[in-house]
Amino acid sequence: QVQLMQSGGGLVQPGGSLRLSCAASGRILRINTIDWYRQAPGKERELVAGMTSGGSTNYADSVKGRFTISRDNAKNTVYLQMNSLKPEDTAVYWCNVEFFLSDDSTWNGWGQGTQVTVSS
């Protein structure tokens, strides 16, 4: 059984920073792919950042240079560091992570979502 726990988020002033985390527990061998999504009120869910198994990253144009996706394989944890936050970054954020398991299978899971509010 694999469990994925998302944390971080909250209220921050414009220009501030937050870090989101998704930590997994269970029979995990290593992290495969990572995606971070967000959905603002009245808008569709969008892909914010992604990382491949090999470590290549991609970002939405709206967050390039401000957000950084990373992983800690030893802790089975993935992160989204968000700097220079803007009011338009206000949204619910989710991680979506695929893991290689110890039995050579893969497991894909979603974090429970966390609210990020950027406001003065």
Side-chain angles (χ1 to χ4, degrees), residues 40-73:
K43 295 187 177 181
E44 295 187 352
R45 185 177 297 192
E46 64 171 338
L47 178 64
V48 174
M51 178 180 280
T52 67
S53 180
S56 298
T57 59
N58 62 277
Y59 298 93
D61 287 343
S62 58
V63 306
K64 279 181 182 176
R66 300 188 297 121
F67 289 14
T68 303
I69 189 173
S70 63
R71 66 190 179 195
D72 185 331
N73 288 306

Side-chain angles (χ1 to χ4, degrees), residues 5-97:
M5 183 62 67
Q6 186 173 338
S7 61
L11 174 64
V12 65
Q13 292 186 343
S17 298
L18 287 172
R19 189 177 77 164
L20 306 181
S21 303
C22 280
S25 60
R27 47 189 180 89
I28 295 166
L29 192 60
R30 66 182 186 276
I31 299 167
N32 188 14
T33 60
I34 309 163
D35 290 306
W36 285 93
Y37 292 84
R38 70 184 180 187
Q39 187 169 19
K43 295 187 177 181
E44 295 187 352
R45 185 177 297 192
E46 64 171 338
L47 178 64
V48 174
M51 178 180 280
T52 67
S53 180
S56 298
T57 59
N58 62 277
Y59 298 93
D61 287 343
S62 58
V63 306
K64 279 181 182 176
R66 300 188 297 121
F67 289 14
T68 303
I69 189 173
S70 63
R71 66 190 179 195
D72 185 331
N73 288 306
K75 296 181 179 180
N76 293 326
T77 301
V78 302
Y79 304 97
L80 184 68
Q81 177 67 44
M82 305 182 293
N83 298 328
S84 302
L85 283 161
K86 304 176 181 180
E88 51 263 43
D89 294 318
T90 296
V92 177
Y93 286 72
W94 294 267
C95 65
N96 177 242
V97 189

